[in-house]
């Protein structure tokens, strides 16, 4: 997987971010089911943190979308 920075992730659509979060969740589940979380806890933690970061970006985009909608009608 290529290196993604926060600035690149912020440019993604919500749909694309959800797809990315699904990939991270699948990878995290695989690491857990194969026991890699015990063998290589750093990789497991990194994947979990990346998933958390992407989910935070999704939430912030959804909230900003709602805020923009209400600002539009409040004029």
């Amino acid at each position: 997987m290529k290196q993604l920075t926060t600035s690149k992730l912020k440019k993604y659509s919500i749909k694309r971010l959800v797809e990315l979060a699904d990939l991270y969740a699948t990878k995290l589940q695989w690491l857990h089911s194969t026991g890699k979380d015990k063998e290589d806890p750093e990789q497991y933690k990194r994947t979990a943190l990346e998933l958390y970061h992407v989910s935070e970006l999704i939430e912030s985009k959804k909230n900003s979308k709602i805020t923009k909608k209400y600002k539009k009608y409040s004029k």
Side-chain angles (χ1 to χ4, degrees), residues 26-38 44:
T26 304
K27 183 177 179 180
L28 198 64
Q29 186 178 13
W30 178 80
L31 287 170
H32 184 72
S33 66
T34 57
K36 301 271 185 191
D37 58 329
K38 304 285 191 252
Y44 186 79

Side-chain angles (χ1 to χ4, degrees), residues 3 8-9 11 15-16 18-19 28 30 37-38 43 45-46 48-49 56 61-65 72 75:
Q3 188 74 16
K8 288 181 185 177
L9 288 174
K11 294 177 184 176
K15 183 179 178 181
R16 176 87 169 123
V18 168
E19 291 172 358
L28 198 64
W30 178 80
D37 58 329
K38 304 285 191 252
Q43 182 182 11
K45 287 178 187 176
R46 181 181 172 107
L49 288 173
E56 288 293 314
K61 277 192 168 243
K62 283 183 179 180
N63 289 338
S64 69
K65 195 173 189 180
K72 185 177 177 181
K75 287 184 179 179

